[in-house]
Amino acid sequence: MLLFLGAVVLTLAWELLGADLAVMHFFGSAQGFPLRSSWLMETLLHDDLRKLGVVLYALVWVWALWPQRWSAGHWPVFQIGRRERIWLGVLVTACLLAINLIKRSSATSCPWSLSEFGGVAAYVSHWNLWLTDGGPGHCFPGGHASSAFAFIGLTLPWLEPSTGPGHPAPNTQAWRWLGLIGVIGIFLGAVQTLRGAHYPSHTLWTLLICWGVSWALWRLGRPWLARSAATSPDRV
């Protein structure tokens, strides 16, 4: 929790210092962002990686619904029961829904829509809910980064195991997986920043939203998962 609160404070400080615009001016100009339509950045690192994220999301649900009797003892990822795996699928889905719902309701436009980068919008902080920027909006927080950050919750059974029989012990390997997810998410956010699609803070808020949603739902579900495992172990 202290780590999460520290990340929130650092993100707010970044915004208060006006670092977002400074970064965007480094990569863009009045003619726009030269990497916006680059094949590497737009097609490979955005469109294709987004499709890969959809495939990974589908695989999470295949894993979550896989019958326990077919998987016992084969792979470490099946150390946890099917109820817990399904709950993890819910966590991933909740993160994706949260990011998309906020984006749909956000009046904040993307950097490439600002007049100083060849667009029509004026810069308005996403905290200024009573003022629109004159652009198309629906840009906050970063959606592309959620293709990685939404999977943060998959590490929680090993970082904060449920109590009771049949649950994995805390595993330091999970921290490495968490770090990998973080690095990939930041990379995906950086791709969008280079294209002019998102401010760096949009990526940071995506991380914090996915982190917060995953942790809160995991804590909410742990007592139920522990009771369910004790009274009715997975057999299917």
Side-chain angles (χ1 to χ4, degrees):
M1 177 57 77
L2 288 177
L3 184 61
F4 176 79
L5 293 176
V8 171
V9 170
L10 289 175
T11 302
L12 290 172
W14 172 276
E15 292 185 328
L16 287 172
L17 290 172
D20 272 337
L21 274 179
V23 169
M24 302 317 298
H25 276 288
F26 186 80
F27 296 114
S29 66
Q31 286 72 48
F33 292 86
L35 295 177
R36 176 175 179 174
S37 299
S38 157
W39 174 85
L40 175 65
M41 305 297 281
E42 182 179 23
T43 303
L44 183 62
L45 297 181
H46 181 263
D47 297 346
D48 290 345
L49 287 185
R50 182 172 56 185
K51 294 172 186 174
L52 178 60
V54 173
V55 171
L56 291 175
Y57 175 72
L59 288 175
V60 164
W61 277 108
V62 170
W63 167 71
L65 297 171
W66 195 263
Q68 191 70 15
R69 66 178 181 274
W70 294 355
S71 54
H74 289 180
W75 300 95
V77 292
F78 290 107
Q79 286 180 318
I80 55 178
R82 190 162 69 160
R83 287 189 192 87
E84 206 159 9
R85 284 182 268 132
I86 290 172
W87 188 243
L88 293 175
V90 171
L91 263 60
V92 175
T93 303
C95 289
L96 295 172
L97 286 174
I99 296 300
N100 278 281
L101 288 173
I102 296 171
K103 282 178 71 71
R104 286 181 179 273
S105 60
S106 172
T108 299
S109 297
C110 300
W112 60 34
S113 295
L114 297 187
S115 57
E116 52 207 288
F117 299 118
V120 296
Y123 177 77
V124 176
S125 169
H126 60 86
W127 295 108
N128 196 341
L129 303 178
W130 53 89
L131 184 65
T132 60
D133 57 23
H138 309 301
C139 195
F140 172 83
H144 196 40
S146 69
S147 297
F149 292 144
F151 297 98
I152 284 174
L154 298 182
T155 65
L156 290 174
W158 290 271
L159 296 177
E160 293 191 12
S162 297
T163 57
H167 296 287
N171 189 339
T172 55
Q173 184 70 23
W175 285 104
R176 298 187 181 95
W177 283 107
L178 182 63
L180 179 62
I181 291 170
V183 168
I184 294 173
I186 290 170
F187 172 76
L188 296 179
V191 166
Q192 291 297 79
T193 294
L194 290 170
R195 295 183 62 228
H198 285 293
Y199 301 105
S201 67
H202 287 193
T203 297
L204 296 175
W205 283 114
T206 299
L207 167 61
L208 292 171
I209 292 166
C210 290
W211 185 353
V213 169
S214 297
W215 184 81
L217 288 179
W218 179 248
R219 282 298 182 102
L220 182 67
R222 278 177 68 188
W224 168 72
L225 291 169
R227 287 194 303 271
S228 296
T231 59
S232 179
D234 283 315
R235 292 190 177 88
V236 296

